[in-house]
Amino acid sequence: MKHGPVAARPRVGVVKFASCDGCQLTLLDLEDELLSVVEHFDIIDFPEATSARSPGPYDILFVEGSVSEPAHLERIVELRRRSRFLVTIGACATAGGIQALRNWGDHDAFRASVYANPEFIHSLATSTPIAEHVPVDAELRGCPIDPDQLVELLTALNTGRRPQLRDEAVCMECKRRGVVCVMVSGGIPCLGQVTQTGCGAICPRFGRGCYGCFGPRERANAAGLSRHLQLAGDRPREEVGRLFAGFTAYSEPFRSMVTELGGARQAGRESGVEAAPTGGSDARH
Amino acid sequence: MHGTETRKGADERLYEVGELTRVEGEGSLRLRVRDGKVTEARLGIFETPRYFEQIVVGRTPDEVIDIVARICGICPVAYQMSAVHAFEDLFGVAIDPAVRALRRLLYCGEWIESHALHIYLLHAPDFLGYESAIAMAADHRQTVAKALLMKKAGNHLIKIIGGRPIHPVSVRVGGFSRVPRRRELEEHRPALAEGLELAKETVRFAASLAMPAFAREPRVVSLRHPGEYPYNDGRIVSSDGIDLAPSGWRDAFEEFQVEESNALHARARDGKGVYLLGPAARVVLASEQLHPVARELLAGTGMAETIRTNIYASIVARAVELVHAYAEALDIIDGYRPPAEPAVAWTSRPGVAAWATEAPRGLLFHRYEVDERGRIASAQIVPPTAQNQAAIERDLVVAAPNVLDLPHAEATIRLEQMIRSYDPCISCATHFLDLRIEEAG
Amino acid sequence: MVMASPARGPRARPEGPAFLGRADLQALLDLLREDGRTLIGPTLDAGAIVYDEITGVEDLPRGWADEQGPGRYRIHDRQDDRLFGYVVGPTSWKKWTFPSLVPLTSATRDGHKVGFEPVPLDPPRLAFLGVRACELAALGVQDRVLTAGPFVDPDYAARRANVLVVAVQCTTAATTCFCTSMGTGPEVESGHDLALTELDGGFLVDAGSPAGRAILERLPLRPATAVEQYGAAATVAAVRAGIGDPVPAAGLHDRLLAQLDSPRWLEIAERCILCGNCTLACPTCFCTSTTQATDLSGTTAMMSRTWDSCFSPGFAKVAGGSFRSRHRDRYRQWLTHKFATWWDQFGESGCTGCGRCVTWCPVGIDVREELNAIAPARPPAAETALVEPAAPSPTEFVTAHVTGTKAETGDTVTLTLESDHPALGRGGPGQFAMVELPGFPPLPISISRYLPGGLELTIRGAGAATRALGKLQAKDEIGLRGPLGSSWPLDRAIGRDLVIVTGGIGLAPLRPLIQAIIAERRRYGDVRLYYGARTPADLLYRGELERWKSASIEVALTVDRAGPEWLGPVGVVTNLFDQATWDGSGMVAFVCGPERMMQATVSTLAGRGIPASRIYVTLERHMECGIGLCGHCQMGKYFICRDGPVFSMAQLGDIFGREGI
């Protein structure tokens, strides 16, 4: 992180690659802080919100979305050149997103499955995070990102300090808030132990297991968790694999778990599964 | 790059915007007029496909609910609702009435957030001559602050029920993973009551805006329900006689490939013409079910007929629905008693799960084939913007004569303003794999 | 037994233990609230019994009990009316005495100048209802850490001083409790203002402080009867007996600190997710960090204190990196601090035996098991304790009769045996039986299959006794003692790929392992069997080998000497896999055969990346009794019959293959 504030009133751009828009929307959803943000930051390019356009150069560029088609490859390099400080926001930009599940499949088969002229489909075989293509200065994880973390990052950029983005398990946040562990008391599989916190432990607070949308944390012992879920929970490998095959599936070590256990439709083979029909009940037992 | 003028030969004009702004997603505009006749009208969509209909294959219904929310950051609830009702219909799950009410309440939250966002942040700048709401705030700070307040009330409502406003986490087949306590909703009631007053002002504000001239006879489609304004349930009806169960979209409509373009459009099978979805369609077809407060305001504007024929007036329809959503939310909260269980147990059945609900932008249809293991075998998702695309291009043609006399830059802005009247959600429209990507120029 | 403290001065109360009727409990709660205290007590939430604000008896979890185990917590109906019929849940009292987020200081920065304004202390007046003995001890531990040293935490001190403690005697225990071992319970003895013991119909009441006595004087009490006193004493004694003494706490400090290089830390690291749940559920853990919340301009900031954990990645970080980045080091830090170095710092154990870290570890790591494994009070026992063997005494044997015989090879026979003794058919794969034919010396023979009501033994005729066994026919009887010894730890292999390497008769003790794998095939990954014999005719269980292949077991065979009909590999068994492409780092290996063959195999497997803690061998020594009393089978610190015959290479270390050990 560079020392000192980025600029007096930094020139900010917000751009989009392959994504749903939710992370940019989080900026517009700052509501109470939005008008204050635009006083401290000069938003020069944000197509979703303003018709005023600018090709840069940017002091800070927020990038949402994954690299997913040929035109993106050049575009991200060009944008990196024109940005002093590049921040990726959201699971698509930081991990490739849910659409990265196609990376395990046969891309040509996907394209050709419906379309008579697949050559008109301009997409790459893979959906990849921005950091696989250009150096990234900071990232905000999440699907979508957390508004408090966004404000924290903006504050840090404005004041020249390091943003306080904790890299610890969601479990810590659950315990601080007094949320009862859904895995221990409900037998519900939860990725929170291997997922980076930042969301405020939403899913366990709402009675369901974490699905890892903030991505794997440092030293995530996904293999240990996987063994435990199979052993104590008596779950088939493929079910545990599907748990990891979510919004940040392409980040390690989730990626290796999906490859090893199944869970994303892999090229050439059906996810081989046992027969019992799915069902569900959220009633506590 | 904004609106370019290119004169080629006698009287040919090209109105082009390489990257539309203040719309959700990535689209372009291209209108070519030669000797007063339109030779090309194109809403180009150059979003990258993300292959959602393929990604959900092999997953379970609850996983699908989480995944399809990511088709859109502005309307994730709509995707979750269409999916969950489709599965519950196939599996024969009877949800608790309190759960049904909570789902409507969740949808109210999304309509409030989406409509407030669109009216003030995306569309109003066009009417008032600003390039953005941020620029508008310099002169109209109070207005923008109030818009943000309204949007916040809608977002917070989704947060109470779903955990977070974008990609909520608690929707499950059979109900919710957690339901709010009465107290949590009651604590939010004052903000919603304040929002209702601001929404009423919004109707007056929208009705006072100068509407560009525009007229056509539209064919409109939406859900309609005898007892409520259409959100999760109702029959699919049109202004000219279509009447289907919410699962029966394919009986009257289909997706097809436009020749010389690889964009998928949707059309009615009867070939009777392009159709329009969204707030204007709902206000035309279902105004009887509007909350009395909203119905009264609509009547007060005297603009019911304008809403029907002038697409620019959709902002008024949206404002009326904003009032409705607040009013209905307050009613639901006042009558809320938490269900005995947040969700009921269910077992999957093989077959076809299909359902349509009303996203803020219009009818959203989902169809899933479920196999014996309870996994998705195939998926079809038809968002409102994909269905409106043909209508947008038709309206570009209708709008052309009205802009020919204007200075070029202003004409282009007027055309963009028309496209924005549809509140297009382009990320939604391009989630499936077989869409042609058009690069402008 | 809770005894009333001796009275001081005039008292209108009965002498001796007092009794509060059940209907009068609300009166106590009302009294506390009238004194301006907010009541915190147990209540139901989200499928657990947690501590939260309550107003009356109706908020208590009447008729609920809990059931706890490593990584597991459930509540269920007790079918009675008890208000306190459970033990501790996920929340501890530190939520109020040491909250997870406390604003400390507001700071400002204006040009050159800075300013600091401590947040004023304004702790609420609270009453804790339902504090257990282990929790009283935990409050005492944090008192010592946070207020008894040279620097005092003012926020903690202020909050603590504003708490009135109403303790509740445990009348039941969870399987995770170990207060007995830590010397903190189950008896409530001190640290309380009031203590209640729940009986049918009401509570024995005791005051532990002047404040408590003052409250007692305002309650409608009567003397407790002898029956009531006896009943309470008996209940508490039963709780103590039920818990037993799970952790060898005496001398634990020294034993633990002598094991900083134990291979067990690495084994734990494979399971531990570093999630931090144990530290945040623990009522004595006190590590925190400060966070800064600023406005966008950064000129005003609020510094707050928040719970942190030694498991967090940033916990030990400095400019150059982290002092404690390895997985195993973080778990070691926590365990050694809690159970050893806490003594050096604070003169007592940091653990009070409440068991929360066991229950709320999502992957079920049990500190008691780990302490017993790393720093046991006695030499290590067999890795897996199984069913009580039949005839576990030097003088006894049970009889079994032959129901079938099969000649496997020229000199090897499999006997199928049935017996009335149920234990014989219910052992683990890799165990052995002592076999006795009167007149011949007793022999240890690996059990090559388990059956309902019996077992199979595969016996190679190498001497007079084994040849005699090989000649037995149906209806002949023999004597057996067993199943004995340790077995192949199959649960270590769940979710992993396996390698099984064996030669000659060594396949016999591995056959029940393979059968157990096939019975639940999908729980294991790739399974590869490498099996060598002297000649093709010496291969055992040839028909079954084909069935194993069709159960997705990869089978590779080799022989030392081939005949014309043999088309497979020839050579030592290690040739089959020393050039294989698999990466052993995640695998488990099971090896059985002549000792030379096992040494070569272990060395090759280690070279392929399989860690020593996951390579298992089975050893053979001269055995006479099979139950560790005759001394013949001693090897280093182990008795092969009792601590083995299955060992991991991590257990054996360099005594394996060492001459003369």
Side-chain angles (χ1 to χ4, degrees), chain A residues 159-174:
Chain A
T159 59
R161 65 174 167 86
R162 187 184 301 267
Q164 296 165 98
L165 303 169
R166 318 200 93 179
D167 179 12
E168 50 185 33
V170 177
C171 303
M172 303 273 290
E173 202 53 37
C174 274

mmCIF file of all heavy atoms in Angstrom, chain A residues 159-174:
data_model
loop_
_atom_site.group_PDB
_atom_site.id
_atom_site.type_symbol
_atom_site.label_atom_id
_atom_site.label_comp_id
_atom_site.label_asym_id
_atom_site.label_seq_id
_atom_site.Cartn_x
_atom_site.Cartn_y
_atom_site.Cartn_z
ATOM 1 N N THR A 159 -7.059 8.867 3.612
ATOM 2 C CA THR A 159 -6.201 9.307 4.713
ATOM 3 C C THR A 159 -4.806 8.707 4.664
ATOM 4 O O THR A 159 -3.951 9.089 5.439
ATOM 5 C CB THR A 159 -6.823 8.932 6.063
ATOM 6 O OG1 THR A 159 -6.996 7.505 6.084
ATOM 7 C CG2 THR A 159 -8.157 9.610 6.262
ATOM 8 N N GLY A 160 -4.582 7.765 3.788
ATOM 9 C CA GLY A 160 -3.247 7.195 3.644
ATOM 10 C C GLY A 160 -2.929 6.081 4.601
ATOM 11 O O GLY A 160 -1.774 5.717 4.779
ATOM 12 N N ARG A 161 -3.938 5.497 5.255
ATOM 13 C CA ARG A 161 -3.620 4.367 6.116
ATOM 14 C C ARG A 161 -4.035 3.068 5.448
ATOM 15 O O ARG A 161 -4.740 3.055 4.466
ATOM 16 C CB ARG A 161 -4.313 4.516 7.464
ATOM 17 C CG ARG A 161 -5.825 4.455 7.428
ATOM 18 C CD ARG A 161 -6.386 4.478 8.850
ATOM 19 N NE ARG A 161 -7.817 4.726 8.852
ATOM 20 C CZ ARG A 161 -8.725 3.799 8.718
ATOM 21 N NH1 ARG A 161 -8.374 2.557 8.541
ATOM 22 N NH2 ARG A 161 -10.016 4.106 8.746
ATOM 23 N N ARG A 162 -3.609 1.976 6.038
ATOM 24 C CA ARG A 162 -3.947 0.661 5.508
ATOM 25 C C ARG A 162 -5.402 0.344 5.871
ATOM 26 O O ARG A 162 -5.812 0.552 6.999
ATOM 27 C CB ARG A 162 -3.023 -0.371 6.160
ATOM 28 C CG ARG A 162 -3.123 -1.769 5.591
ATOM 29 C CD ARG A 162 -2.230 -2.705 6.407
ATOM 30 N NE ARG A 162 -0.848 -2.271 6.395
ATOM 31 C CZ ARG A 162 0.059 -2.697 5.519
ATOM 32 N NH1 ARG A 162 -0.272 -3.565 4.600
ATOM 33 N NH2 ARG A 162 1.287 -2.238 5.572
ATOM 34 N N PRO A 163 -6.169 -0.158 4.923
ATOM 35 C CA PRO A 163 -7.557 -0.493 5.275
ATOM 36 C C PRO A 163 -7.600 -1.689 6.212
ATOM 37 O O PRO A 163 -6.819 -2.625 6.071
ATOM 38 C CB PRO A 163 -8.203 -0.838 3.920
ATOM 39 C CG PRO A 163 -7.078 -1.155 3.016
ATOM 40 C CD PRO A 163 -5.872 -0.427 3.509
ATOM 41 N N GLN A 164 -8.500 -1.608 7.193
ATOM 42 C CA GLN A 164 -8.621 -2.711 8.145
ATOM 43 C C GLN A 164 -9.615 -3.727 7.595
ATOM 44 O O GLN A 164 -10.808 -3.617 7.836
ATOM 45 C CB GLN A 164 -9.137 -2.212 9.489
ATOM 46 C CG GLN A 164 -8.193 -1.271 10.170
ATOM 47 C CD GLN A 164 -8.915 -0.555 11.283
ATOM 48 O OE1 GLN A 164 -8.812 -0.932 12.432
ATOM 49 N NE2 GLN A 164 -9.664 0.459 10.934
ATOM 50 N N LEU A 165 -9.094 -4.674 6.847
ATOM 51 C CA LEU A 165 -9.945 -5.720 6.294
ATOM 52 C C LEU A 165 -9.441 -7.024 6.892
ATOM 53 O O LEU A 165 -8.399 -7.530 6.514
ATOM 54 C CB LEU A 165 -9.828 -5.740 4.764
ATOM 55 C CG LEU A 165 -10.176 -4.404 4.100
ATOM 56 C CD1 LEU A 165 -9.776 -4.419 2.635
ATOM 57 C CD2 LEU A 165 -11.663 -4.120 4.236
ATOM 58 N N ARG A 166 -10.163 -7.550 7.877
ATOM 59 C CA ARG A 166 -9.640 -8.674 8.636
ATOM 60 C C ARG A 166 -9.639 -9.959 7.805
ATOM 61 O O ARG A 166 -10.635 -10.281 7.162
ATOM 62 C CB ARG A 166 -10.498 -8.913 9.872
ATOM 63 C CG ARG A 166 -10.909 -7.631 10.580
ATOM 64 C CD ARG A 166 -11.293 -7.913 11.972
ATOM 65 N NE ARG A 166 -10.106 -7.725 12.804
ATOM 66 C CZ ARG A 166 -10.045 -7.856 14.105
ATOM 67 N NH1 ARG A 166 -11.092 -8.216 14.751
ATOM 68 N NH2 ARG A 166 -8.944 -7.661 14.758
ATOM 69 N N ASP A 167 -8.523 -10.654 7.894
ATOM 70 C CA ASP A 167 -8.477 -11.951 7.238
ATOM 71 C C ASP A 167 -8.581 -13.027 8.305
ATOM 72 O O ASP A 167 -7.602 -13.581 8.760
ATOM 73 C CB ASP A 167 -7.175 -12.114 6.439
ATOM 74 C CG ASP A 167 -7.106 -13.472 5.775
ATOM 75 O OD1 ASP A 167 -8.127 -14.183 5.735
ATOM 76 O OD2 ASP A 167 -6.025 -13.839 5.292
ATOM 77 N N GLU A 168 -9.786 -13.275 8.759
ATOM 78 C CA GLU A 168 -9.994 -14.323 9.740
ATOM 79 C C GLU A 168 -11.269 -15.042 9.341
ATOM 80 O O GLU A 168 -11.972 -14.619 8.441
ATOM 81 C CB GLU A 168 -10.113 -13.718 11.134
ATOM 82 C CG GLU A 168 -11.097 -12.588 11.177
ATOM 83 C CD GLU A 168 -11.171 -11.855 12.498
ATOM 84 O OE1 GLU A 168 -10.140 -11.739 13.183
ATOM 85 O OE2 GLU A 168 -12.279 -11.402 12.811
ATOM 86 N N ALA A 169 -11.568 -16.134 10.020
ATOM 87 C CA ALA A 169 -12.734 -16.924 9.623
ATOM 88 C C ALA A 169 -14.024 -16.220 9.998
ATOM 89 O O ALA A 169 -14.074 -15.450 10.960
ATOM 90 C CB ALA A 169 -12.674 -18.285 10.309
ATOM 91 N N VAL A 170 -15.084 -16.534 9.275
ATOM 92 C CA VAL A 170 -16.413 -16.006 9.601
ATOM 93 C C VAL A 170 -16.776 -16.404 11.034
ATOM 94 O O VAL A 170 -17.522 -15.697 11.719
ATOM 95 C CB VAL A 170 -17.456 -16.552 8.604
ATOM 96 C CG1 VAL A 170 -18.852 -16.080 8.946
ATOM 97 C CG2 VAL A 170 -17.099 -16.131 7.195
ATOM 98 N N CYS A 171 -16.239 -17.520 11.492
ATOM 99 C CA CYS A 171 -16.517 -18.004 12.856
ATOM 100 C C CYS A 171 -16.252 -16.942 13.911
ATOM 101 O O CYS A 171 -16.977 -16.824 14.899
ATOM 102 C CB CYS A 171 -15.633 -19.202 13.182
ATOM 103 S SG CYS A 171 -15.805 -20.549 12.031
ATOM 104 N N MET A 172 -15.200 -16.183 13.723
ATOM 105 C CA MET A 172 -14.865 -15.157 14.710
ATOM 106 C C MET A 172 -16.005 -14.152 14.805
ATOM 107 O O MET A 172 -16.400 -13.724 15.890
ATOM 108 C CB MET A 172 -13.571 -14.422 14.327
ATOM 109 C CG MET A 172 -12.376 -15.310 14.139
ATOM 110 S SD MET A 172 -11.480 -15.623 15.650
ATOM 111 C CE MET A 172 -10.759 -14.032 15.970
ATOM 112 N N GLU A 173 -16.539 -13.775 13.667
ATOM 113 C CA GLU A 173 -17.621 -12.801 13.661
ATOM 114 C C GLU A 173 -18.880 -13.391 14.283
ATOM 115 O O GLU A 173 -19.604 -12.717 15.007
ATOM 116 C CB GLU A 173 -17.867 -12.335 12.226
ATOM 117 C CG GLU A 173 -18.543 -11.005 12.115
ATOM 118 C CD GLU A 173 -17.865 -9.900 12.890
ATOM 119 O OE1 GLU A 173 -16.624 -9.880 12.950
ATOM 120 O OE2 GLU A 173 -18.585 -9.066 13.465
ATOM 121 N N CYS A 174 -19.161 -14.640 13.998
ATOM 122 C CA CYS A 174 -20.314 -15.308 14.619
ATOM 123 C C CYS A 174 -20.182 -15.281 16.133
ATOM 124 O O CYS A 174 -21.123 -14.934 16.848
ATOM 125 C CB CYS A 174 -20.386 -16.768 14.171
ATOM 126 S SG CYS A 174 -21.266 -17.028 12.629
#
